[in-house]
Amino acid sequence: MKRGGAVSLAALLLAAPAVARAEDRKPVEFGATYVTDVLSNVDGGIRRGTVWLGRGDVTASVDGSVFGIDGAELFVDVLAVQRPDFSGRFVGDAQTVSNVQANSAIRPYEAWIGVPVAHTLFAKAGLIDLNTEFDIQSVGKIFLNSSFGIGPDFSQSGVNGPSIFPAPATAAMVRYKANGWTGRLGVFDAVAGSASNPRRTVLRLPGVRGALLVAEVERKMGRVEVQLGAWHYTTRFDPLDPGAKRGVSQGAYALLEGEIAKHGTGSLHGWVRVGAASDRVNPIGLYLGGGALWHDGPSQIGLAVAHARLGDPARRNLFAPGTADSAETAIELTYARKVLPGVTVQPDMQYVINPGWAPGLGNALVAGVRFSFAIPAE
């Protein structure tokens, strides 16, 4: 199953930059981030142990005025990831406790050009992290668990997953924005990266290996935002039930998030997300997650829950009959504080119930700390 997500990667300060007015921007802007997790499996799971994970990005953004198109943008991101597989070796969870975990690699990650087509319409094409445009949990992006970046019902899909960290795909999309409404339509290549070597970035026209179609509508209503999305692969996948016909991989999700209350200089924000996927070809049939985050100046503290349920075909065929747990649940408590410009320290604790849905695997307690560095400082 594909893990990660901005991204989740929106969570890593690398969401695709919004297009700004030419007079407010430098012609060329460079940036760099490094996010590192030191995590220990304290109890339960597969075995105890401590690892050091990391993700670094170097980015360049070129204003369209440089090449004569006002409002356009050229964006490039080169990615470096340091392994190991903490979830697979120590915790045994399917949702992945760290959203910077991936196979070690240094490669181009994003490379796209965006052009305004009309006052309310923006088009974008190239290597695109799907999670910088679709299924973004804005309140949840501070958390480490991958399920709070992009839902696991979506991130599990595809050969290498959809076009998210760490394997991007070529894509073309449009974004419409007016009167509090935002609509997005995207066509992504159905295979992210190389099917034979997921560490490689592959350039091909979207749809050459089949297509992943994604649609999303977003509505802002005061302090609250509602998001509805759906996705569909044009290719078919092997079924989880032996002997059954190849099936369609598709799903839908809904998100509600916003500000709940204010007190003094602080504010409380919350979100809830539900997603469903075709369980004939995908292990996770249903996901429910959400949480709350208190933000006060340089500090944030939050509590979140991610609940992923196996579909019936997966329970019948991935484990001995009648032995699989029906759901894996991750509970995360995190505290983040900016200690210097561009430097954030974030102690974190997660408790994973029924990791990997595996019978007999004890609940896992994970503790650690994230360090985030950004240039220029945000």
Side-chain angles (χ1 to χ4, degrees):
M1 179 174 14
K2 176 66 176 283
R3 304 178 177 98
V7 34
S8 27
L9 276 290
L12 302 181
L13 312 177
L14 294 173
V19 175
R21 293 176 302 170
E23 62 267 26
D24 295 334
R25 299 189 51 171
K26 297 178 182 178
V28 182
E29 295 181 344
F30 295 97
T33 62
Y34 179 61
V35 179
T36 182
D37 293 343
V38 180
L39 298 173
S40 294
N41 188 39
V42 178
D43 189 39
I46 297 173
R47 61 189 175 99
R48 296 183 181 183
T50 301
V51 300
W52 171 30
L53 307 167
R55 168 184 173 163
D57 292 77
V58 177
T59 63
S61 178
V62 182
D63 189 271
S65 60
V66 173
F67 44 89
I69 307 176
D70 289 340
E73 180 179 7
L74 174 66
F75 181 77
V76 177
D77 180 349
V78 177
L79 168 73
V81 182
Q82 86 192 43
R83 207 177 161 156
D85 181 1
F86 179 63
S87 280
R89 291 171 51 193
F90 296 91
V91 184
D93 65 311
Q95 297 184 79
T96 311
V97 298
S98 172
N99 55 22
V100 299
Q101 176 184 301
N103 291 326
S104 298
I106 299 176
R107 62 183 177 189
Y109 181 59
E110 285 199 279
W112 51 260
I113 185 168
V115 179
V117 179
H119 179 65
T120 58
L121 193 65
F122 188 77
K124 188 171 167 181
L127 278 174
I128 300 173
D129 180 342
L130 179 148
N131 194 215
T132 62
E133 292 283 351
F134 298 90
D135 199 9
I136 298 173
Q137 301 171 66
S138 299
V139 179
K141 66 184 180 181
I142 189 69
F143 293 88
L144 273 63
N145 194 289
S146 294
S147 289
F148 304 129
I150 181 172
D153 48 290
F154 197 174
S155 67
Q156 71 177 337
S157 68
V159 176
N160 293 329
S163 179
I164 59 173
F165 173 79
T170 51
M173 63 158 292
V174 293
R175 183 197 314 132
Y176 169 85
K177 192 170 185 178
N179 302 319
W181 290 91
T182 302
R184 299 178 181 89
L185 292 172
V187 179
F188 292 78
D189 199 75
V191 178
S194 167
S196 59
N197 183 359
R199 300 185 187 190
R200 288 180 52 220
T201 297
V202 177
L203 297 176
R204 52 180 170 253
L205 291 175
V208 168
R209 299 290 298 273
L212 165 60
L213 310 176
V214 191
E216 183 180 282
V217 62
E218 177 184 303
R219 171 65 172 169
K220 292 184 181 293
M221 297 175 288
R223 298 177 180 176
V224 176
E225 179 180 304
V226 178
Q227 186 184 106
L228 300 173
W231 51 273
H232 171 85
Y233 286 85
T234 61
T235 52
R236 291 183 174 266
F237 295 84
D238 292 335
L240 296 176
D241 279 321
K245 293 182 179 179
R246 288 167 62 85
V248 172
S249 182
Q250 59 189 9
Y253 56 89
L255 171 77
L256 176 65
E257 63 180 7
E259 186 178 88
I260 299 172
K262 278 189 174 183
H263 181 73
T265 59
S267 57
L268 179 66
H269 300 255
W271 91 101
V272 62
R273 180 195 180 280
V274 61
S278 45
D279 61 7
R280 182 178 178 182
V281 297
N282 295 297
I284 297 172
L286 183 67
Y287 170 78
L288 178 63
L293 183 71
W294 175 259
H295 188 286
D296 193 351
S299 299
Q300 298 180 77
I301 185 169
L303 180 68
V305 178
H307 181 79
R309 300 189 66 85
L310 276 181
D312 288 338
R315 293 191 70 187
R316 287 194 299 266
N317 298 288
L318 299 184
F319 303 89
T323 63
D325 293 308
S326 61
E328 175 188 279
T329 303
I331 304 169
E332 181 173 357
L333 175 65
T334 199
Y335 172 78
R337 183 176 178 85
K338 288 188 177 181
V339 295
L340 292 169
V343 180
T344 300
V345 178
Q346 185 174 352
D348 188 87
M349 183 171 290
Q350 297 185 48
Y351 187 63
V352 184
I353 302 169
N354 301 330
W357 311 284
L361 197 60
N363 298 342
L365 178 63
V366 176
V369 60
R370 167 168 287 186
F371 299 93
S372 303
F373 307 90
I375 300 173
E378 297 195 0

